[in-house]
Amino acid sequence: MEGSRGDSVVVTVTLVNVTKKFGSVVAVDNVSLEIPDGKFTALLGPSGSGKTTLLYLIAGIYKPTRGKILFDERDVTKLKPNERNIGLVFQNYALYPHMKVFDNIAFPLRLAKKPKSYIEERVKRIARMLNIDHLLDRYPAQLSGGQQQRVALARALVKEPAVLLLDEPLSNIDAILRIRIRSELKRLQRDLGITTIYVTHDQSEALAMADKIVVIHNGRVQQEGTPHEVYRYPRNVFVASFIGNPPTNIFRASVDQSEAPCVLLPGSKYCPTGLLAKKLREARLREVLVGFRPEDAEIRGEVSGDGVYLYGEVYTIEPLGRENIITLRINGELVKVTAPPSETVRIGDKVYLRIPRDKIMLFHPKTEENLALI
């Protein structure tokens, strides 16, 4: 049954074994997924990953080749978009250039043949909510990109949809305005309590805005979870590398299985304990992929204190104001770390990197899965 929150109806969206093919191309590959009601869910992935196709399947613009889509217990797989009670905001906003802002927002209500007084009240109410009530007599061409984005959002929200679908709505806005609008959008979603699905290729947007992130690559769900879960506990190399800026450092290393399994590193070795050691031993791995995030490492002039140490040479230094990104060449690999501006190393210096043991990630060399999560 559909639930309600405030004035809005909210639903849980469920995909069951959904596949979408365009000819021989598999755009979405057997995806099963639950999008919780009243929450902000981001579909995150690179260009061509299948995230927009997935959104259009939920919207009803595309029909799945196989599988079904449920809004709560209601099967909407074969329903048209206007039968699903959704609001959709496209990347290019898709505003009608010959209509004033008021008429653009009112369009779905007029299509539904709502009374004139109702339309007037709803349009003005949603326009006030989005701070565009002073723009109702203007045409889209007279608006800035940020104002057009708000008009498109108002048109999607005016009919009180059960699900709000957003297809990279901030990608055409300059960087400074984008940061401001994403905070406004997050607050608006929280105030309305509407089930929201947001497509983006920008991992910083997903981390900043979403209650739940679904990472998609090659038409498949790679991982789903809270921002903290997908950032701190990536299930595979793709998720670890795609989320984070600078991305996770990944390099190949040998494993010594002669006694307790130990990963051989330039300057030291890492001998995991407990379940991870058992998995290394049972898999009889001779190599692993080692990963760590740039902010988890610190530069040291010598080995001192507990941790995993790597030895290398400072290759480049990128000052970014509040931090520096320092690239080191370690055993032929380029590794990035973040450091405070007070860090005094220079290009060519030989240094150690210290990484806490609990921040080291080990991935299977073939499947690229996180060994700690298998």
Side-chain angles (χ1 to χ4, degrees), residues 43-247:
L43 304 182
L44 173 66
S47 178
S49 61
K51 58 189 185 299
T52 296
T53 301
L54 200 56
L55 188 83
Y56 287 2
L57 286 165
I58 295 169
I61 295 172
Y62 296 153
K63 296 294 186 290
T65 306
R66 288 194 302 273
K68 61 181 179 179
I69 300 168
L70 306 174
F71 283 12
D72 285 339
E73 298 169 3
R74 182 188 182 204
D75 189 340
V76 300
T77 310
K78 297 180 180 180
L79 297 184
K80 297 176 182 178
N82 63 354
E83 298 173 318
R84 299 190 184 202
N85 191 18
I86 60 163
L88 180 58
V89 179
F90 293 97
Q91 183 176 345
N92 63 1
Y93 312 138
L95 300 178
Y96 300 108
H98 63 288
M99 292 184 183
K100 291 184 178 181
V101 168
F102 182 98
D103 299 311
N104 264 283
I105 299 172
F107 186 78
L109 298 181
R110 286 177 175 154
L111 207 60
K113 302 188 184 304
K114 297 293 183 181
K116 185 176 180 180
S117 59
Y118 176 84
I119 293 173
E120 184 98 10
E121 187 274 328
R122 286 294 304 164
V123 170
K124 289 182 177 178
R125 178 182 171 191
I126 203 73
R128 283 194 302 271
M129 187 184 301
L130 292 167
N131 296 316
I132 54 172
D133 48 318
H134 61 295
L135 304 174
L136 293 176
D137 286 330
R138 296 189 189 180
Y139 288 95
Q142 298 172 303
L143 306 179
S144 68
Q147 290 168 338
Q148 290 184 42
Q149 189 266 345
R150 285 183 171 90
V151 174
L153 186 58
R155 186 178 60 191
L157 290 172
V158 74
K159 61 177 184 175
E160 297 183 341
V163 182
L164 178 62
L165 306 173
L166 303 165
D167 183 17
E168 304 218 37
L170 307 184
S171 60
N172 295 328
I173 301 173
D174 67 77
I176 294 175
L177 183 59
R178 190 182 308 141
I179 291 172
R180 194 182 85 195
I181 291 182
R182 79 186 187 192
S183 64
E184 294 175 354
L185 185 56
K186 181 176 182 177
R187 180 57 188 262
L188 178 67
Q189 187 277 331
R190 184 158 296 183
D191 289 347
L192 293 175
I194 187 172
T195 303
T196 299
I197 306 172
Y198 185 98
V199 162
T200 182
H201 66 276
D202 187 331
Q203 48 93 16
S204 62
E205 274 186 12
L207 289 169
M209 300 173 72
D211 299 304
K212 177 179 180 176
I213 296 176
V214 180
V215 185
I216 301 171
H217 184 48
N218 292 333
R220 296 182 178 181
V221 173
Q222 303 295 310
Q223 185 171 354
E224 54 182 293
T226 66
H228 176 75
E229 287 168 344
V230 297
Y231 186 83
R232 271 294 156 204
Y233 308 105
R235 294 202 64 85
N236 55 40
V237 168
F238 174 79
V239 176
S241 302
F242 188 70
I243 297 180
N245 187 25

Side-chain angles (χ1 to χ4, degrees), residues 20-36:
K20 178 61 179 178
K21 294 182 179 180
F22 296 98
S24 61
V25 176
V26 181
V28 173
D29 189 2
N30 197 36
V31 168
S32 292
L33 182 64
E34 183 173 293
I35 295 167

